[in-house]
Amino acid sequence: MNRGRHAALDVIVVAGLVLYVTPLLWQVVTSLTPDAAIAAGGWPGALVLDHYRVVLARSPMPRALVNSAAVAVIATTLAAGLGILAAYPLARRLLPGRRLIMLAVVLSTAFPAIATVAPLYLIVRALGLRDTWAALVLADASFALPLMIWLLVGFLRELPPALEEAAFVDGAGRVATLRHVILPALAPGAAAAALLTFLFTWNEFLFAYTFTATEASRTAPVALALFPGVFEVPWGDIAAASILASLPPIAIVVLLQRHLVRGLLAGSLKD
Amino acid sequence: MIARGERRFGFLLAAPALIVLAGVTLYPVAHVLVLSLQRRVPIFGIADWVGAANYGFLARDPAFWNAARVTLTFVVASVALELVLGVAVALALQRQHRWRAVAVALLLLPWCLPGVVTARTFEWIYHPTGILARAAAGLVGAGSTNWLGDPALALGAVVAADVWRTMPFVALLCYARLLGIPAEVYEAATVDGAGGIATVRAITLPLLAPVLLMVALFRTLDALRAFDLMFVLTGGGPAATTETLAVFAYRSLFQTLQLGYGAAVSTVVFVLVGATAALYLAAAGRAEARR
């Protein structure tokens, strides 16, 4: 192939992908279109920020975004902490029955949330955790834990054994080795796994919809699903709220793509 | 043999995660099985043992069979479309040289969005006054179409939205596999005089097959438990034509509040997911044995 054909192909592929993203772009355009233009059904004459002002000043969305951020950050931290502790003995053969445990871990990555949501709801209610961050953190962190462990065990096995052996020879114990040798080497992998967990937790809907009751704990997807409209559906406001709820995932894809893809591929292409 | 001290250390490290998994994942699955053997209507304080009665009722419930049919149609249609489109996109990306990071970012945008955002985005696109109906009216002079309100069209519309958001996952994994194929393999094919399509059929697709099988499994498992898209987009309607088993289970559990019956439906979803995973493991094992 010559150079001109290469360049043409590159343009066509990217243009095709831009076309593919049109539904999202249309939502962006709608979020900037004045209500009158939306009602008239024409193209936006002028782009305005009115819908964002309404959503940020007079809707449950700001509070929901805070709830989402808090739940996603705490659940991801918890899952990463528990995951690292569990992945180390599983990867380094320090645990009896680890084949069985790994099989259970792999199988539970496929668990349908709909199968556990009812008993979890009963637990949440019994513990008095309904409509709290704690309920969502508990559900989301444990739901993300199997994938987290699976990814981390994979990353740990990729680390050269010489790394630890050198530390042992120097007289470092298991704990010191884990803290000062393993953790720093594992950091990129752990970051990739944490990004995936954050993304899934931010987007999670079923648990968030079921365990919350008021604005005190509703997350962004729930607030968006329940977005209030009095007489007419406020398409512009809903579009603005959609874009706000999508900003963290979009930022991850655009700014941290390399880490995200690393996590995605590690979770899928290994067996 | 693991030394005793090492074993205790390992167990101490793993214990918190294992306790959480046991308490918040395994216990609920066991509990849902128990619930499915009861008649539980919490608001009336009813909790009786009924044995397998819920499953008997389920087998005679047209709403359950409708949900099973909708789920099957949804899974087959969306997974098939995602695989075909995903491979096509991966092949296109493989031939691209510049702006690869830009292409991957664009590709992953639909995939990364919350399902609720996808639902509300397509709700507006499919609305009778939305862009799709207007475009159809402008292009072919069709009258206003209510895509989500027409029982004949709604499931197709939901499938299209699902394909839009999950095809990128298929494309990315296939693309990553294609990048791993050494250039020499293609050069050898060109030397042998194989054309573009012949190369794809003889080299690319066979090398892609193991990844495709695994992606098909992931996508099937996800499609079987799909919930947010149809729950927000159509609520299972019109006339239950988009009511999947997950939506049906949710409505039984939390809207009509028949906890036992809903638990039975949830168990069916769980068994379907487990059976699919087992089938895949068997197929992968056989493919491994043949090699």
Side-chain angles (χ1 to χ4, degrees):
Chain A
M1 262 198 277
N2 60 41
R3 262 197 134 150
R5 271 185 68 189
H6 271 317
L9 202 73
D10 291 348
V11 172
I12 291 171
V13 170
V14 170
L17 285 167
V18 170
L19 206 64
Y20 190 72
V21 182
T22 307
L24 176 62
L25 297 179
W26 183 239
Q27 196 74 337
V28 174
V29 170
T30 303
S31 77
L32 298 168
T33 307
D35 272 328
I38 292 178
W43 294 92
L47 298 178
V48 294
L49 286 172
D50 294 7
H51 298 301
Y52 288 92
R53 272 188 212 109
V54 169
V55 168
L56 288 175
R58 284 183 278 130
S59 89
M61 213 53 201
R63 171 76 213 209
L65 290 168
V66 172
N67 290 336
S68 272
V71 168
V73 168
I74 300 172
T76 303
T77 311
L78 191 64
L82 293 177
I84 289 172
L85 290 182
Y88 183 70
L90 283 170
R92 288 295 178 269
R93 302 155 189 274
L94 296 179
L95 209 58
R98 69 187 175 279
R99 275 172 178 279
L100 200 67
I101 295 176
M102 278 313 280
L103 186 67
V105 164
V106 175
L107 290 181
S108 27
T109 57
F111 272 19
I114 189 70
T116 56
V117 67
L120 280 180
Y121 175 77
L122 296 178
I123 296 175
V124 162
R125 217 180 43 174
L127 294 176
L129 292 178
R130 243 186 112 217
D131 209 19
T132 64
W133 287 356
L136 297 183
V137 166
L138 192 70
D140 289 344
S142 64
F143 202 72
L145 199 49
L147 180 66
M148 178 70 88
I149 294 177
W150 173 245
L151 289 173
L152 290 174
V153 167
F155 290 135
L156 276 168
R157 287 196 179 137
E158 280 172 13
L159 296 183
L163 209 64
E164 270 162 281
E165 282 154 17
F168 290 143
V169 170
D170 289 348
R174 281 273 181 198
V175 178
T177 311
L178 183 58
R179 252 184 68 187
H180 299 295
V181 180
I182 298 294
L183 278 187
L186 188 62
L195 268 187
L196 268 189
T197 305
F198 178 89
L199 192 64
F200 292 149
T201 310
W202 179 274
N203 292 350
E204 200 282 327
F205 177 67
L206 180 56
F207 291 150
Y209 185 72
T210 310
F211 302 156
T212 60
T214 67
E215 287 174 21
S217 68
R218 275 185 189 141
T219 60
V222 179
L224 183 62
L226 299 171
F227 201 87
V230 185
F231 300 111
E232 287 181 349
V233 184
W235 296 114
D237 295 351
I238 289 176
S242 305
I243 302 307
L244 289 174
S246 308
L247 286 181
I250 291 176
I252 289 177
V253 163
V254 172
L255 303 175
L256 302 168
Q257 187 194 109
R258 222 159 38 88
H259 301 278
L260 178 73
V261 169
R262 179 183 150 98
L264 259 177
L265 296 184
S268 313
L269 294 186
K270 219 176 290 163
D271 41 17
Chain B
M1 217 34 235
I2 313 168
R4 189 188 283 171
E6 298 261 271
R7 197 159 49 180
R8 193 192 295 154
F9 177 67
F11 187 74
L12 269 178
L13 288 184
L18 296 182
I19 290 169
V20 168
L21 277 184
V24 194
T25 307
L26 294 181
Y27 164 74
V29 168
H31 193 185
V32 91
L33 267 173
V34 172
L35 281 176
S36 76
L37 303 175
Q38 296 179 324
R39 193 165 75 101
R40 280 280 286 259
V41 188
I43 43 169
F44 298 123
I46 300 176
D48 306 325
W49 279 100
V50 293
N54 282 323
Y55 293 95
F57 183 51
L58 195 132
R60 279 175 276 118
D61 187 354
F64 167 76
W65 289 109
N66 172 68
R69 205 165 39 236
V70 169
T71 306
L72 185 71
T73 314
F74 174 77
V75 169
V76 172
S78 46
V79 173
L81 283 170
E82 284 155 27
L83 290 182
V84 172
L85 278 175
V87 170
V89 170
L91 287 172
L93 283 173
Q94 185 195 13
R95 279 156 183 74
Q96 194 209 12
H97 290 264
R98 280 178 298 167
W99 310 316
R100 282 188 163 171
V102 175
V104 171
L106 284 169
L107 180 70
L108 286 180
L109 277 181
W111 172 83
C112 79
L113 299 177
V116 178
V117 168
T118 310
R120 301 232 79 167
T121 301
F122 277 86
E123 185 187 6
W124 173 222
I125 287 174
Y126 288 142
H127 194 262
T129 66
I131 186 174
L132 198 60
R134 280 178 207 285
L139 285 177
V140 293
S144 170
T145 310
N146 188 356
W147 303 91
L148 296 175
D150 187 335
L153 300 176
L155 186 56
V158 172
V159 167
D162 186 66
V163 169
W164 181 72
R165 92 177 167 133
T166 47
M167 180 282 276
F169 175 77
V170 179
L172 181 78
L173 261 58
C174 292
Y175 174 51
R177 177 70 190 93
L178 291 179
L179 290 185
I181 300 175
E184 296 87 64
V185 175
Y186 287 106
E187 279 156 21
T190 317
V191 170
D192 290 347
I197 294 175
T199 313
V200 167
R201 273 186 50 191
I203 297 178
T204 314
L205 287 184
L207 284 171
L208 218 45
V211 180
L212 269 181
L213 185 63
M214 200 194 47
V215 173
L217 168 78
F218 283 148
R219 286 303 317 135
T220 307
L221 295 181
D222 265 351
L224 276 173
R225 53 193 169 170
F227 175 78
D228 14 357
L229 192 61
M230 38 289 254
F231 189 75
V232 177
L233 195 53
T234 61
T241 48
T242 61
E243 187 167 270
T244 56
L245 283 170
V247 174
F248 181 57
Y250 189 86
R251 290 160 64 93
S252 309
L253 287 169
F254 296 106
Q255 288 176 354
T256 56
L257 297 176
Q258 302 157 284
L259 213 49
Y261 190 59
V265 182
S266 307
T267 305
V268 170
V269 177
F270 186 75
V271 169
L272 281 176
V273 166
T276 309
L279 269 178
Y280 164 80
L281 288 179
R286 218 174 315 132
E288 196 71 28
R290 228 182 293 139
R291 238 177 277 147

